[in-house]
Amino acid sequence: DRDRILLMQRTRDCLSQWGFTCQDVHKLFCIFDTDGNGELTIEEFCSIFEHMRVAMPQERIADLFNAFDYDFSGTISHREFLRMLFPGATQADWLP
């Protein structure tokens, strides 16, 4: 829906303005995947926004989480995370 698209674009724009690349976002994912299972829970995902000091209501973060969770598993895989933030990137672009 339109709201999710705008929210996703806002997130991409913020990361780009802060100078984040695909490789940086890969590192970001690994840092916040606190249990190291290759998946982000909603709690781990929310902590990204808290640490980056992005002022966004919890409801909006939950909407964004659901947009990232392409397979509706209740978690966000590394692939889902990067695909949503850098849709034109290849897997080779994701790795440092």
Side-chain angles (χ1 to χ4, degrees), residues 11-25:
T11 303
R12 283 188 199 120
D13 290 346
C14 284
L15 289 170
S16 179
Q17 286 174 356
W18 294 333
F20 283 95
T21 66
C22 282
Q23 293 83 12
D24 296 326
V25 173

Side-chain angles (χ1 to χ4, degrees), residues 57-93:
Q58 289 293 328
E59 181 180 298
R60 299 289 296 221
I61 295 173
D63 287 343
L64 189 58
F65 179 87
N66 290 328
F68 274 74
D69 184 15
Y70 188 76
D71 64 0
F72 306 108
S73 65
T75 60
I76 300 171
S77 70
H78 182 258
R79 173 176 237 135
E80 288 171 322
F81 189 72
L82 291 169
R83 185 182 302 164
M84 291 299 284
L85 291 173
F86 296 95
T90 65
Q91 189 167 359
D93 296 327

Side-chain angles (χ1 to χ4, degrees), residues 19-39:
F20 283 95
T21 66
C22 282
Q23 293 83 12
D24 296 326
V25 173
H26 168 79
K27 293 174 193 170
L28 185 72
F29 181 93
C30 293
I31 290 167
F32 287 97
D33 178 19
T34 56
D35 59 9
N37 70 350
E39 305 273 331

